[in-house]
Amino acid sequence: MSASGGTKAIVAALAANLAIAVAKFVAFLFSGSSSMLAESVHSLADSGNQGLLLLGGKKAQREATPQHPFGYGRERYIYAFLVSIVLFSVGGMFAIYEGYEKIKHPHEIEAWYWPVGVLVFAIIAESFSFRTAISESNQTRGKLSWTQFVRRAKAPELPVVLLEDLGALVGLILALVGVGLALGTGNGVWDGIGTLCIGILLIVIAIVLAAETKSLLLGEAAGVEDVEKIQASVVDGDTVTRVIHMRTLHLGPEELLVAAKIAVRAEESAAEVAEAINAAENRIRAAVPIARVIYLEPDIYSEAAAAAGTNPGKTPGGPSSPGAPDGSGH
């Protein structure tokens, strides 16, 4: 996994969650707090999730094979999607079930100092993990807002860790509030309500993660900036006069496929066209290094065909007016 995959953030989150899971479970044994049980399962699930992310990053590094000629970069998307499923089922659904049972059959919290102490410790530990994830994300986030970063990131690990850590911090605060109200009122129902809120929070985060990783699994195009760089790199103003239409597809977070039909001058020889294509591929790779698989098809541009809109392969969402970069070449 590359540095942009956020390995440091994953390892930090894994270490924090393992320590927190043990502490929470011990607190549950001494206090009987359902919030602590839900939180211990949550932290254990998060630890498993970080393990899945590390495993996906390892598997994605395998070399391409005849059966998988474009490599295994999407392994990282698959394991990120598995994380959302684990978070939904093991974390969210268990917490909702435990919260319902505690509301239905409430009991007082014993040895209150255990859950309170562990929750404070967990908040501190999760804060360090969250800070590491934010620091790692800021290296690649650029000018994007946090919402835009989560939605547009092609490497799934950092958004997953960010949302997990955010959910963990909010969940810990909810657990602390639930335990505090249960202790203050002497009514164990508040502990169950806190647990129920934790479950709902985890399910919401899991749904967001599932939606984003599903989009990556289906295949996302390059970002707007990279598309503009590629289009600008292709045209040399001499042999290659325009991009007729183009497709881009992420084969993995750091591997991009580019397929384009380009317009060349009719008077150019085959040797000159081949040389121009090779030069265009070099310019693309220099502008966008992750563009590793490039297919450029030469064609003769036709204003009449572009005006008629007869091109079945024009760039999705692109302009179709005569003379536009994605007009028909047929």
Side-chain angles (χ1 to χ4, degrees), residues 220-261:
E220 287 190 357
V224 175
E225 291 184 3
D226 283 345
V227 169
E228 291 175 350
K229 289 179 183 178
I230 293 169
Q231 289 180 330
S233 301
V234 171
V235 179
D236 61 7
D238 184 15
T239 302
V240 182
T241 59
R242 70 174 62 219
V243 177
I244 298 173
H245 62 76
M246 184 175 73
R247 298 282 197 279
T248 60
L249 178 68
H250 269 274
L251 301 173
E254 284 91 32
E255 188 169 12
L256 187 66
L257 181 149
V258 178
K261 185 182 287 291

Side-chain angles (χ1 to χ4, degrees), residues 19-107:
I20 292 169
V22 173
K24 287 175 179 175
F25 191 71
V26 171
F28 158 72
L29 292 178
F30 279 95
S31 66
S33 167
S34 67
S35 291
M36 294 310 304
L37 178 59
E39 276 295 310
S40 64
V41 173
H42 173 197
S43 294
L44 191 61
D46 279 354
S47 300
N49 288 341
Q50 273 99 53
L52 287 173
L53 293 176
L54 291 172
L55 179 62
K58 182 69 175 178
K59 285 183 170 291
Q61 295 174 359
R62 289 179 293 171
E63 296 292 332
T65 64
Q67 188 176 6
H68 297 278
F70 292 114
Y72 294 85
R74 288 195 181 183
E75 289 268 16
R76 287 165 67 178
Y77 300 152
I78 293 171
Y79 280 87
F81 188 76
L82 289 176
V83 164
S84 68
I85 295 174
V86 172
L87 194 62
F88 179 91
S89 57
V90 179
M93 295 305 294
F94 177 83
I96 286 179
Y97 169 77
E98 184 64 24
Y100 169 78
E101 286 295 318
K102 187 59 179 287
I103 292 172
K104 190 175 179 181
H105 306 290
H107 60 81

Side-chain angles (χ1 to χ4, degrees), residues 109-233:
I109 295 176
E110 302 172 1
W112 62 270
Y113 41 85
W114 274 102
V116 172
V118 167
L119 286 171
V120 172
F121 162 74
I123 289 173
I124 294 172
E126 284 289 359
S127 295
F128 280 107
S129 175
F130 193 38
R131 186 180 68 174
T132 301
I134 290 174
S135 176
E136 290 281 289
S137 299
N138 280 334
Q139 296 178 19
T140 58
R141 184 168 65 96
K143 297 180 180 179
L144 296 176
S145 68
W146 286 109
T147 300
Q148 291 172 328
F149 175 71
V150 170
R151 298 196 64 180
R152 298 182 187 178
K154 305 304 180 184
E157 292 85 3
L158 282 174
V160 169
V161 173
L162 274 170
L163 288 177
E164 274 191 352
D165 284 351
L166 177 62
L169 277 173
V170 176
L172 288 167
I173 293 171
L174 290 172
L176 189 59
V177 170
V179 170
L181 288 173
L183 291 172
T185 62
N187 188 350
V189 169
W190 287 108
D191 188 28
I193 292 174
T195 308
L196 198 64
C197 291
I198 292 169
I200 294 171
L201 170 69
L202 294 179
I203 287 177
V204 170
I205 291 175
I207 291 172
V208 172
L209 285 177
E212 295 304 318
T213 51
K214 174 190 173 185
S215 179
L216 292 169
L217 278 171
L218 288 174
E220 287 190 357
V224 175
E225 291 184 3
D226 283 345
V227 169
E228 291 175 350
K229 289 179 183 178
I230 293 169
Q231 289 180 330
S233 301

